[in-house]
Amino acid sequence: MSCEVNLTNQLRERGFRITPQRSVILHILGHAKAHLTPAEVYQQASISLPGLTETTVYRTLEFLAQTGLAQTVFNGKSKYAYEISGYAHHHLVCRQCGTEVEIPHVKAEALFKELQESTGFQLMQNHISFFGLCPVCQED
Amino acid sequence: MSCEVNLTNQLRERGFRITPQRSVILHILGHAKAHLTPAEVYQQASISLPGLTETTVYRTLEFLAQTGLAQTVFNGKSKYAYEISGYAHHHLVCRQCGTEVEIPHVKAEALFKELQESTGFQLMQNHISFFGLCPVCQED
DNA sequence: TTCCTTATTGCAGTTAACTGCAATAAGGAT
DNA sequence: ATCCTTATTGCAGTTAACTGCAATAAGGAA
Ligand SMILES: [Mn+2]
Ligand SMILES: [Mn+2]
Ligand SMILES: [Zn+2]
Ligand SMILES: [Zn+2]
């Protein structure tokens, strides 16, 4: 019916079950304009699924990350955020003010390839957080 | 007296106060053979500083990270770890089994330089965590 | 030394993330 | 349609990380 059908089918084909909880959370992530925290996902998802628990939100988001449909954002503050895996990119995060800048994955492609070849690791191809100071916060 | 004097002097020169808590924690980090969690630091530090609280450990580790004397390790599990800033390196972390591989910073130097020039960010030059699957866990 | 300013700590309480286990329900088989 | 297996969820409780505020003490000034 709605927009997240292709993603749920992808899960079913891989042997996972499609639950209302997963559908709703995928729907929300799919329409998000920004990184969403578990609390934000829970808040929105509760509207259409009143019985939903935060535990399930945490587990579903982690599940989506493990299966590659979503990505975890590390902002350096022990608070998570997630987004649907789409356009491959990374972030520069200011350790002072939290400002985030998006970096297209292609800029890091050479490094990723090199690391994979030299270590045998299969790297998730996007969404690394690079930490530092933004231009504004450098004046301290 | 002991090994962490150069680090504490560095802090004093920058206008920070040297407390027994900071000295002990720096000493522990300086002698650590691996990444240490706040709990591990607390446990060890409590021996020589019985009154120490976990809160102070969390704040001191964060403080050392902010001032560049220590580095935060993101293992992808919302549990922190720290190490003294020494040899510049990064890590590949297996999302399945947690295995970590060390990568010398020099391999990422070109990318870092490029990102700094194109964005104006001043990046912390080490200790990025790249996530993926280790060779063993790829057989699933 | 003693005093003074204020950075740092400890305390108490909060929020975020995680875990074990029993109840539920997805989806394949009959 | 009904049953069955077991993946997934909700519940209750735990652990890790964080925060506000008053008490303490580092280190510069007198
Ligand atoms: Mn992103
Ligand atoms: Mn390291
Ligand atoms: Zn900034
Ligand atoms: Zn592995």
Side-chain angles (χ1 to χ4, degrees), chain A residues 101-128:
Chain A
V101 170
E102 219 170 274
I103 301 291
H105 175 65
V106 61
K107 286 196 174 186
E109 207 147 51
L111 174 60
F112 272 58
K113 184 172 278 185
E114 210 297 294
L115 294 179
Q116 293 189 135
E117 281 169 4
S118 62
T119 65
F121 265 64
Q122 178 67 43
L123 297 179
M124 333 204 69
Q125 76 276 47
N126 34 18
H127 230 263
I128 290 285

Side-chain angles (χ1 to χ4, degrees), chain A residues 26-101:
Chain A
L26 271 174
H27 180 81
I28 289 167
L29 284 181
H31 287 267
K33 307 286 188 198
H35 298 158
L36 292 182
T37 64
E40 289 166 337
V41 171
Y42 172 70
Q43 190 182 2
Q44 290 186 46
S46 297
I47 298 170
S48 33
L49 273 181
L52 183 70
T53 61
E54 286 184 294
T55 304
T56 297
V57 172
Y58 280 112
R59 282 199 279 226
T60 301
L61 292 171
E62 171 62 13
F63 163 79
L64 293 175
Q66 289 283 346
T67 53
L69 275 73
Q71 314 219 33
T72 312
V73 183
F74 295 100
N75 54 17
K77 284 180 200 151
S78 90
K79 297 194 184 166
Y80 285 177
Y82 292 86
E83 73 178 329
I84 279 291
S85 302
Y87 158 65
H89 67 276
H90 307 284
H91 288 276
L92 304 194
V93 183
C94 179
R95 240 197 175 289
Q96 200 93 56
C97 69
T99 297
E100 291 192 0
V101 170

Side-chain angles (χ1 to χ4, degrees), chain B residues 32-43:
Chain B
K33 307 286 186 197
H35 298 158
L36 293 182
T37 64
E40 289 166 338
V41 171
Y42 172 70
Q43 189 181 5

